[in-house]
Every structure is written in structure tokens, then in C-alpha cells.
Amino acid sequence: MYTTPKKLLSDGFSNAKTKKNDLKTFILYLAPYNQNSKKINICPKASKGCAASCLFSAGRGAMSSVILSRTNKTEYLLNDKKTFIEQLAKEILTKVKTAKKKGYKVAFRLNGTSDLDFVYMLKKYASLDIETIKENAVFYDYTKILGKVKKYIKHPNYKLTFSRAEDNETETLEALKLGANVSAVFANNLPKSYKGFKVLDGDKSDDIMINAKNVILGLQAKGEEKKDKSGFVIN
Ligand code: SF4
């Protein structure tokens, strides 16, 4: 069961990292992995390590309004995809309209806590081709799906960063070879380079990935990640 939420997008100002973005940013947060009544995995390439940190946070705040709202949105998407995507497209276009009027550009991160192909779904279910709004909107995401990186590597306003995990070394190297950015979590201070690629501080802001080219976005281990033994966090 779910109720139709008034809004799907959250203001990036509520997130410690997106708060530091230069661009005004909106994020869509769902309940990650298989945290839904249908047990559908909305992060199909999640590793044990990343899912463990995500699910721990979800478990800890199981009754919090944040988790309830994310779960409700996920149930909405899984039960009425078309209406959900139509509502999402409407919200995006409203933000873009305001940005256009005021003369700025907005950023959207639709996979705040999921790994789905919203660019495809927006086109299919709501006839919204995000290329048509590239003057005032840029979309970005982290993904663990190499196929998505390949599909969108040349897209004019959808920037994907491949997320390195303990079980995707080959895909990580392939993503770097393709020219994509890769994010990696480090236990201690960030190294200058990793796998022969320059490391930038990915914690500085979330939208750093929009302009960065073929680098490692190094993230410092936080919270549960500090206890990681899976290899998700690089020592
Ligand atoms: S893929 Fe991302 S959102 Fe999904 S479980 Fe892993 S870290 Fe969380």
C-alpha cells in the first residue's frame, strides 16, 4: 500500500554533499536495494559491501519519516510506474521553467539511492527527452551498471560516474578506459592517484562529476563504511 506523495524530488540542500553544489540540485530518493514489498532489487549491481552500509542505515531509521517517505515512493514507482514517471517529469519541468525564468541551470540526481534508468523511463512513459532541456538542466548519477555508462557516455546532459566496489574491478578499469569518472571509497587520506588516474576530492561537492573528466572521485569512508571488511573501502 502507498499514498501518492505531493512531491517526489527533494531539495539537494538537505544533503550534506549536494548542499555544496554550485548548481541548485534536486534529488530523488527511493528505498535502496530490495527494501520494498515486492523484493525487487532497484540496485541490480549492488555489491555486498555497499548494500550492507545502505541497508544498515535503512534498518537503523526504519521508522523515521525519511525512510517511510522513501519506501512509500518506491511502492508508488513499483505499482504505478507510468503515473510516477509522469509526476516526476512534471516536477522536473516546473523546476526547469523556474530556472529558465531566473536565468540559471538546475541539476538533477534521480538515483539518489537507486540505480535505475530514469532517462529511458522519462522518455518512454512521459515523452520527456532530457536532451530538449539541456540549456537549463543537467542530470547526473552514480551507477554500478557498466552498460549504463556505455549507453550514456556521449549524452550531452547526463553525466554518469561508475562506482567502484569490492566486486567490480574489471568493470572499473573498463569504465576508466571508456573515459568515464569512477568513484572509490578510501579508508584513510585520499591518494594522489589510483590505478594510474588522478584522484579528486569527491566529497568537496556532488556536482564535481559534471565537469571532471576521466578521474577518480575519491570519497572518504564514513559511518558504517569505516567498519567495512568486504574490500568496498580501499585501505
Ligand atoms: S547501489 Fe548505491 S544505492 Fe544501491 S545499495 Fe549500493 S550504495 Fe546503496
Side-chain angles (χ1 to χ4, degrees):
M1 275 299 284
Y2 64 91
T3 52
T4 307
K6 277 204 183 91
K7 61 183 184 97
L8 296 171
L9 293 170
S10 304
D11 194 316
F13 211 72
S14 57
N15 174 298
K17 198 149 67 121
T18 34
K19 196 160 113 176
K20 300 182 214 156
N21 284 4
D22 288 335
L23 297 172
K24 190 163 176 50
T25 306
F26 296 94
I27 316 182
L28 173 65
Y29 290 113
L30 298 173
Y33 201 55
N34 62 359
Q35 298 295 288
N36 56 77
S37 62
K38 294 181 193 282
K39 295 287 161 213
I40 292 172
N41 185 358
I42 62 168
C43 307
K45 292 279 185 179
S47 71
K48 278 191 185 145
C50 81
S53 346
C54 256
L55 298 186
F56 175 82
S57 322
R60 197 172 38 175
M63 292 312 288
S64 81
S65 58
V66 171
I67 300 297
L68 290 175
S69 151
R70 291 179 186 186
T71 308
N72 185 57
K73 284 179 201 168
T74 312
E75 294 296 328
Y76 177 23
L77 171 67
L78 297 177
N79 284 286
D80 192 357
K81 198 186 281 176
K82 186 164 166 44
T83 314
F84 180 104
I85 298 293
E86 282 170 351
Q87 181 178 339
L88 179 62
K90 223 168 146 186
E91 284 184 35
I92 291 170
L93 291 174
T94 305
K95 307 288 182 211
V96 170
K97 200 173 159 191
T98 309
K100 199 173 175 179
K101 215 155 81 188
K102 298 192 173 166
Y104 60 81
K105 202 165 184 168
V106 265
F108 295 95
R109 180 175 162 197
L110 299 181
N111 282 296
T113 36
S114 55
D115 200 351
L116 298 167
D117 194 344
F118 282 105
V119 172
Y120 165 78
M121 287 192 275
L122 283 166
K123 207 167 181 177
K124 177 166 180 183
Y125 298 107
S127 304
L128 174 60
D129 179 350
I130 64 160
E131 265 200 66
T132 61
I133 48 173
K134 68 172 191 278
E135 292 308 313
N136 297 91
V138 61
F139 293 72
Y140 72 94
D141 269 326
Y142 292 93
T143 184
K144 286 197 171 65
I145 305 173
L146 184 66
K148 258 168 81 178
V149 173
K150 287 182 179 165
K151 182 175 174 185
Y152 293 112
I153 191 95
K154 292 201 172 123
H155 198 285
N157 62 333
Y158 187 37
K159 311 287 173 200
L160 280 167
T161 289
F162 185 77
S163 302
R164 179 236 164 244
E166 74 279 13
D167 62 353
N168 63 11
E169 170 92 6
T170 312
E171 288 98 329
T172 296
L173 295 174
E174 214 181 316
L176 286 166
K177 224 161 118 187
L178 284 167
N181 295 325
V182 163
S183 67
V185 186
F186 294 91
N188 303 305
N189 291 340
L190 298 182
K192 284 210 161 60
S193 68
Y194 179 70
K195 302 279 176 198
F197 290 80
K198 190 175 173 185
V199 176
L200 294 185
D201 182 358
D203 284 318
K204 245 186 176 167
S205 78
D206 207 22
D207 62 358
I208 191 171
M209 73 162 80
I210 294 170
N211 299 316
K213 278 192 182 76
N214 207 199
V215 296
I216 306 286
L217 298 174
L219 308 167
Q220 204 83 59
K222 296 166 205 70
E224 270 311 283
E225 289 170 350
K226 288 185 184 158
K227 298 181 200 154
D228 176 76
K229 298 246 176 325
S230 69
F232 174 60
V233 174
I234 302 161
N235 272 299

